């Protein structure tokens, strides 16, 4: 019964996006434009050389192009509106209807975000991969690294959801959270390695990035995809770090939720 409810909640989010096909085309065009710009920026930085020396050793131009494409593929799922979705439900009072549903508020938000991801997979991810394969020679991973990459990406996306959901709960104290969203997006873009791999960071930024969870969403999975991380101990260490951060955010959002519902006042309706 509850599984059917989750399925319908996910499908409703999927169907609601079918009315905004023009938005999808614009987003897809923007993603492709960003890939082309980033690729040619890296071509310019590499110049006549086929490789550069970084903290992880030699990085070839082909590895950088693959990094850019895979980073854009992950961003299709990692870019979400969870913070604004939580904020809108609190400010509009819609959360009152969600609270009487036989499922947790977090599950409601997760199903809606998952439905959006399914839509993006069909209408954004597949075209993005096809165009990238046609225009760029993407370096493919070994079977083991490919499977490890998929596991790390799934864990990374769950971690990303928990981060944005936890931050979104701030809306119970401060209704307008766009400033918080802006700061969080800036931190994620910088310290996740979404645009510039952590290989090229300074020592101080590398140390700081290892105190934050964001590199586990982009940088670490892509490093595995490219074969920069191959040992079982290193792979296990990354997964353990992802699980530890997920457990930490689950505890934090549970504590915040217990405090938040005591502040909730829904008027009208």
């Amino acid at each position: 019964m509850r599984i059917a409810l989750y399925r319908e909640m996910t499908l409703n989010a999927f169907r609601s996006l079918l009315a905004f096909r023009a938005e999808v085309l614009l987003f897809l065009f923007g993603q492709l434009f960003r890939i082309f710009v980033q690729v040619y920026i890296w071509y310019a930085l590499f110049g006549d050389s086929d490789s550069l020396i970084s903290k992880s050793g030699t990085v070839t131009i082909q590895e950088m192009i693959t990094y850019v494409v895979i980073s854009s593929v992950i961003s299709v799922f990692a870019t979400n509106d969870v913070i604004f979705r939580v904020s809108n439900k609190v400010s509009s009072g819609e959360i009152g209807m969600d609270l009487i549903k036989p499922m947790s508020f977090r599950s409601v938000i997760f199903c809606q975000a998952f439905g959006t991801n399914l839509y993006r997979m069909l209408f954004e991810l597949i075209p993005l991969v096809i165009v990238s394969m046609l225009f760029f020679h993407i370096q493919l991973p070994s079977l083991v690294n490919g499977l490890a990459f998929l596991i790390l990406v799934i864990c990374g996306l769950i971690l990303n959801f928990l981060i944005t959901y936890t931050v979104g709960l701030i809306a119970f104290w401060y209704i307008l959270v766009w400033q918080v969203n802006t700061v969080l997006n800036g931190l994620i873009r910088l310290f996740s390695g979404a645009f510039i791999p952590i290989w090229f960071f300074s020592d101080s930024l590398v140390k700081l990035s290892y105190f934050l969870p964001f590199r586990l969403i982009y940088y670490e999975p892509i490093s595995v995809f490219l074969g920069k991380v191959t040992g079982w101990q290193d792979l296990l260490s990354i997964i353990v770090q992802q699980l530890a951060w997920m457990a930490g955010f689950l505890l934090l959002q549970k504590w915040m939720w217990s405090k938040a519902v005591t502040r909730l006042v829904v008027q009208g309706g």
Side-chain angles (χ1 to χ4, degrees):
M1 178 65 183
R2 185 162 292 187
I3 293 177
L5 189 59
Y6 292 153
R7 186 185 64 235
E8 285 305 314
M9 187 73 68
T10 303
L11 291 177
N12 281 339
F14 180 88
R15 294 189 195 104
S16 66
L17 289 172
L18 291 175
F20 303 100
R21 294 174 186 172
E23 183 180 344
V24 173
L25 289 176
L26 288 174
F27 186 83
L28 177 61
F29 178 78
Q31 287 279 37
L32 291 172
F33 183 74
R34 192 176 68 172
I35 289 177
F36 275 89
V37 168
Q38 282 187 275
V39 165
Y40 285 101
I41 285 176
W42 283 108
Y43 268 127
L45 291 173
F46 273 71
D48 296 330
S49 175
D50 291 332
S51 61
L52 290 177
I53 303 299
S54 71
K55 287 185 170 55
S56 68
T58 302
V59 179
T60 66
I61 182 65
Q62 210 56 51
E63 288 175 332
M64 272 313 309
I65 292 173
T66 304
Y67 190 102
V68 168
V69 172
I70 300 303
S71 173
S72 298
V73 167
I74 295 176
S75 72
V76 170
F77 298 107
T79 304
N80 63 48
D81 61 348
V82 169
I83 293 177
F84 289 117
R85 198 182 288 273
V86 174
S87 174
N88 288 337
K89 283 180 180 290
V90 173
S91 60
S92 67
E94 186 183 344
I95 190 172
M97 295 300 297
D98 291 325
L99 291 178
I100 63 176
K101 291 174 182 171
M103 54 196 301
S104 69
F105 181 65
R106 186 183 65 217
S107 298
V108 171
I109 298 296
F110 180 80
C111 288
Q112 292 173 344
F114 187 57
T116 302
N117 282 341
L118 285 179
Y119 181 83
R120 285 178 172 171
M121 183 185 295
L122 289 177
F123 298 102
E124 295 174 13
L125 178 64
I126 293 176
L128 187 68
V129 170
I130 291 174
V131 173
S132 298
M133 295 288 284
L134 289 175
F135 284 91
F136 307 112
H137 177 64
I138 300 173
Q139 180 178 314
L140 297 177
S142 65
L143 179 61
V144 173
N145 279 37
L147 291 174
F149 168 76
L150 288 177
I151 294 172
L152 292 176
V153 166
I154 291 171
C155 290
L157 294 176
I158 294 173
L159 173 61
N160 181 63
F161 169 79
L162 291 173
I163 292 172
T164 50
Y165 176 75
T166 304
V167 173
L169 291 180
I170 294 175
F172 282 87
W173 287 268
Y174 304 99
I175 301 298
L176 297 177
V177 294
W178 64 266
Q179 306 95 329
V180 179
N181 184 63
T182 302
V183 172
L184 179 65
N185 280 335
L187 290 173
I188 291 177
R189 288 175 189 277
L190 175 61
F191 289 105
S192 70
F195 288 106
I196 300 176
I198 295 177
W199 309 322
F200 299 113
F201 280 16
S202 65
D203 290 338
S204 56
L205 284 179
V206 170
K207 290 177 183 175
L208 185 55
S209 70
Y210 275 79
F211 285 101
L212 300 170
F214 308 127
R215 64 185 167 79
L216 299 168
I217 302 170
Y218 284 91
Y219 172 72
E220 298 292 0
I222 300 176
S223 295
V224 172
F225 186 96
L226 293 173
K228 300 292 184 186
V229 177
T230 54
W232 285 108
Q233 287 186 334
D234 292 334
L235 285 174
L236 190 60
S237 171
I238 296 171
I239 294 174
V240 168
Q241 289 178 62
Q242 287 179 322
L243 294 177
W245 276 107
M246 280 191 273
F249 275 102
L250 276 172
L251 291 174
L252 178 59
Q253 63 87 20
K254 188 174 181 180
W255 176 78
M256 290 179 68
W257 178 255
S258 67
K259 300 293 182 184
V261 291
T262 61
R263 300 175 56 88
L264 181 65
V265 177
V266 180
Q267 296 178 328

